[in-house]
Amino acid sequence: MKRWSAVVAAVLLVAAVSLMISMGAAAQEVIRVGADTAFPPFEFVDEATGEYTGFDMDLIRAIGEQMGVKVEIVNTVFDSLIPALLLGEFDVIVSAMTITEERAQTVAFTDPYFRTGLVIATRPDNTSIKTTDDLKGKIVAVQMGSTGHFAADALPGVGRVDPYQFVDQAMTAVIIGAADAAILDELVAIEYMQAHPASIKVVGEPFTTEEYGMAVRPSDTELLQRINAALAELRANGTYDQLYEKWFGVD
Ligand code: GLN
């Protein structure tokens, strides 16, 4: 009799503990984050650990911590991010996405978190391309659906615009001579130039001013407000500056 009650007590204890554990897990809200994780230094895979890393990844994890939620990264091709968000495949886009009027018609952007611009990249031995005017008649490689793509399409006289799914494919096209130049985000271009100094150079200063924002579904007004509040707190408490310094600080 005693033995049985000890067994029953043990079983009940195990059941109670596992219930508490699962309730604890359920209580932790998860936000799923869509990102094109082939866009260094904003989002990329750390080869040593296999983890997603970069400025954006650190920032959204810090925002998640601030909000008390768990952050899960969902790797998605850049051009599919907005449709996938709208289909509910994740809850927020954090992917060095420029706030544009057109995109703002379908998604709701957070406050801007990064200011940058587009640049031209070409091979180091190319001395004829100095400004966007010099792209007349040239082949320009871009990432599909990016602001670089839209800018290249809008430049008068460009010979051909070749869109690639991933930004490194556009850079490879330049390196192997399949394209004369690429148009892309400044800090990503600089990252490539530093990684491949013999094959890529950044030409001049940015020719656009753009701001990155995170994007949620327009109906998710509460989530938007919570992310904005967390972002403001990280700016106020110095975390944002630390991350900026970590990824873009003077070297
Ligand atoms: N900032 C650019 C855009 O929003 C490119 C972003 C990206 O390729 N991740 O289109």
Side-chain angles (χ1 to χ4, degrees), residues 136-204:
K136 289 205 172 80
K138 300 284 191 263
I139 300 173
V140 179
V142 295
Q143 183 183 19
M144 200 178 295
S146 69
T147 48
H149 187 181
F150 308 144
D153 276 346
L155 285 176
V158 167
R160 199 174 79 214
V161 177
D162 284 349
Y164 293 88
Q165 201 159 44
F166 298 106
V167 80
D168 62 321
Q169 295 170 327
M171 297 309 254
T172 302
V174 175
I175 293 170
I176 67 173
D180 298 295
I183 293 181
L184 72 164
D185 297 34
E186 182 187 22
L187 289 159
V188 178
I190 290 175
E191 176 83 13
Y192 271 89
M193 177 170 69
Q194 286 169 349
H196 311 276
S199 325
I200 285 285
K201 73 171 174 189
V202 174
V203 178

Side-chain angles (χ1 to χ4, degrees), residues 34-45:
D36 164 15
T37 58
F39 206 64
F42 291 92
E43 35 270 330
F44 60 102
V45 177

Side-chain angles (χ1 to χ4, degrees), residues 2-180:
K2 259 195 174 149
R3 249 232 306 255
W4 276 113
S5 49
V7 170
V8 169
V11 167
L12 284 177
L13 185 69
V14 169
V17 167
S18 47
L19 186 68
M20 275 157 61
I21 291 171
S22 64
M23 274 168 45
Q28 171 88 331
E29 186 191 346
V30 174
I31 54 169
R32 291 161 306 155
V33 175
D36 164 15
T37 58
F39 206 64
F42 291 92
E43 35 270 330
F44 60 102
V45 177
D46 180 332
E47 306 229 316
T49 63
E51 299 280 325
Y52 295 126
T53 186
F55 177 81
D56 281 354
M57 301 294 96
D58 278 357
L59 184 60
I60 192 59
R61 285 182 184 126
I63 286 175
E65 221 168 278
Q66 184 69 31
M67 289 166 60
V69 303
K70 207 170 159 260
V71 165
E72 246 172 56
I73 312 295
V74 182
N75 182 29
T76 305
V77 172
F78 187 78
D79 199 33
S80 299
L81 282 169
I82 290 182
L85 173 76
L86 298 177
L87 284 170
E89 284 174 26
F90 40 77
D91 308 301
V92 55
I93 297 170
V94 185
S95 201
M97 182 174 274
T98 302
I99 300 171
T100 68
E101 259 176 51
E102 213 195 0
R103 289 172 178 161
Q105 284 172 10
T106 51
V107 298
F109 280 106
T110 62
D111 295 333
Y113 68 88
F114 204 89
R115 179 167 299 197
T116 184
L118 295 173
V119 291
I120 301 169
T122 187
R123 285 180 296 283
D125 59 3
N126 185 321
T127 50
S128 65
I129 297 176
K130 295 198 176 67
T131 71
T132 51
D133 282 346
D134 304 322
L135 296 175
K136 289 205 172 80
K138 300 284 191 263
I139 300 173
V140 179
V142 295
Q143 183 183 19
M144 200 178 295
S146 69
T147 48
H149 187 181
F150 308 144
D153 276 346
L155 285 176
V158 167
R160 199 174 79 214
V161 177
D162 284 349
Y164 293 88
Q165 201 159 44
F166 298 106
V167 80
D168 62 321
Q169 295 170 327
M171 297 309 254
T172 302
V174 175
I175 293 170
I176 67 173
D180 298 295

Side-chain angles (χ1 to χ4, degrees), residues 183-243:
I183 293 181
L184 72 164
D185 297 34
E186 182 187 22
L187 289 159
V188 178
I190 290 175
E191 176 83 13
Y192 271 89
M193 177 170 69
Q194 286 169 349
H196 311 276
S199 325
I200 285 285
K201 73 171 174 189
V202 174
V203 178
E205 293 297 307
F207 64 92
T208 62
T209 303
E210 309 195 354
E211 287 181 318
Y212 296 160
M214 304 179 182
V216 300
R217 286 176 289 276
S219 54
D220 281 344
T221 48
E222 196 204 320
L223 177 62
L224 184 70
Q225 181 265 319
R226 287 164 69 206
I227 294 173
N228 276 335
L231 180 61
E233 179 57 31
L234 297 181
R235 281 194 189 273
N237 72 14
T239 306
Y240 181 96
D241 289 342
Q242 277 168 21
L243 293 181

